[in-house]
Amino acid sequence: MQQIWDEALADAKVEFSRLLSALGEKTYDGIPEKYSGSIKEQLAAIAPALEKLWKQKDERIKEFLDVQSQIEKIGSEIAGTSEQVESPKVDESDLSLKKLDEFHAQLQDLQKEKSERLHQVLDFVSIIHDLCAVLGIDFFSTVTEVHPSLNDSTGVQSKSISNDTLSSLARTVLALEEDKKQRLQKFQELATQLIDLWNLMDTTEEERSLFDHVTCNTSASVDEVSIPGALALDLIEQAEVEVERLDQLKASRMKEIAFKKQAVLERFLLVPT
């Protein structure tokens, strides 16, 4: 029986030391540094301290789980693998406040990076919104194609911030900017053709005003064009149809003028000298 009590006391002392070490504590207030009295008395003295340390350990594990879970979550968001997040494993051999502070510092760095990435995403989305408006392109389908979370119906914190999403957004902006540049160039070419044809055929100001939305950007730079729908494809098609119509009208009138000149010439040649 004595051996059992001795082993129990030895185990309690080992557990006590192990808990202190895991929690990063060198000493613990509440029990004497040197044990005295009978084994039962010594066990009775160490038991409350062990219970407090076990409780402290459980609470510390929860703190570690909380901070490590946040680290895992943000890390997966940055990596673009948020759907595959696993529960973190806590190293119960080191539950010290120093280790916990290290995790908190890591979490703060990740939170800062997440915030910066989120701002980048929102900036890209805003630029895409403005470009889509000018080009007459559906904004929601454009950003949803990049990533479903970018749709405005989702919360800001739910938006994808991964490298793939940022790269795809950057490519989308470049593609839309190039499209805008090409469309403006096309508009300006059509506007020049319209003005030349109008001048040739003395088109009225009233007729010309119907295409003010085309000629208003004749000398505009890409950055200066910001009105929604200003470079929509249907407007380009309307201008192309009008240029074609005026070209045909011009050809018809040129033939008419040629016939008149030929008739005059023929009459002149028939007049007796």
Side-chain angles (χ1 to χ4, degrees), residues 16-32:
F16 183 78
S17 297
R18 188 184 66 81
L19 287 171
L20 280 181
S21 176
L23 293 169
E25 304 289 346
K26 294 182 178 179
T27 59
Y28 184 83
D29 295 333
I31 61 172

Side-chain angles (χ1 to χ4, degrees), residues 129-177:
H129 177 273
D130 293 343
L131 286 167
C132 285
V134 173
L135 297 170
I137 297 174
D138 185 69
F139 163 70
F140 293 111
S141 63
T142 301
V143 293
T144 301
E145 188 175 340
V146 174
H147 196 279
S149 70
L150 301 180
N151 189 305
D152 274 359
S153 62
T154 61
V156 172
Q157 293 299 322
S158 301
K159 297 192 183 302
S160 173
I161 57 172
S162 69
N163 287 335
D164 286 344
T165 296
L166 286 169
S167 296
S168 184
L169 283 170
R171 289 194 299 270
T172 301
V173 168
L174 287 175
L176 290 173
E177 287 177 338

Side-chain angles (χ1 to χ4, degrees), residues 226-265:
S226 59
I227 298 175
L231 301 178
L233 281 178
D234 60 335
L235 298 185
I236 292 179
E237 292 170 359
Q238 290 174 16
E240 288 175 332
V241 169
E242 181 64 8
V243 167
E244 185 178 355
R245 185 186 74 81
L246 291 174
D247 266 332
Q248 292 174 352
L249 183 60
K250 170 190 169 185
S252 176
R253 289 190 180 180
M254 293 299 289
K255 286 181 181 179
E256 183 181 335
I257 293 172
F259 285 140
K260 286 181 179 180
K261 286 183 178 180
Q262 184 177 358
V264 170
L265 181 59

Side-chain angles (χ1 to χ4, degrees), residues 63-195:
E63 290 183 84
F64 271 84
L65 274 174
D66 178 59
V67 68
Q68 287 182 233
S69 294
Q70 292 183 66
I71 288 172
E72 290 286 340
K73 182 176 183 298
I74 297 177
S76 66
E77 289 174 0
I78 291 173
T81 57
S82 56
E83 297 178 357
Q84 307 169 14
V85 180
E86 297 181 358
S87 298
K89 295 180 180 179
V90 177
D91 179 9
E92 295 187 15
S93 67
D94 187 356
L95 299 172
S96 64
L97 289 176
K98 179 182 177 182
K99 189 66 175 179
L100 186 60
D101 288 341
E102 289 176 3
F103 277 123
H104 277 296
Q106 184 181 348
L107 176 60
Q108 285 183 338
D109 289 340
L110 285 172
Q111 288 172 331
K112 181 181 178 182
E113 183 178 353
K114 177 180 178 178
S115 177
E116 291 171 350
R117 283 171 173 264
L118 185 57
H119 280 299
Q120 284 182 292
V121 167
L122 295 177
D123 286 343
F124 275 133
V125 169
S126 178
I127 293 171
I128 291 173
H129 177 273
D130 293 343
L131 286 167
C132 285
V134 173
L135 297 170
I137 297 174
D138 185 69
F139 163 70
F140 293 111
S141 63
T142 301
V143 293
T144 301
E145 188 175 340
V146 174
H147 196 279
S149 70
L150 301 180
N151 189 305
D152 274 359
S153 62
T154 61
V156 172
Q157 293 299 322
S158 301
K159 297 192 183 302
S160 173
I161 57 172
S162 69
N163 287 335
D164 286 344
T165 296
L166 286 169
S167 296
S168 184
L169 283 170
R171 289 194 299 270
T172 301
V173 168
L174 287 175
L176 290 173
E177 287 177 338
E178 181 61 27
D179 195 9
K180 181 182 179 183
K181 179 181 176 182
Q182 292 179 359
R183 288 198 194 184
L184 178 59
Q185 184 177 348
K186 183 66 175 176
F187 259 90
Q188 291 174 338
E189 290 172 357
L190 290 169
T192 300
Q193 289 177 285
L194 284 173
I195 292 170

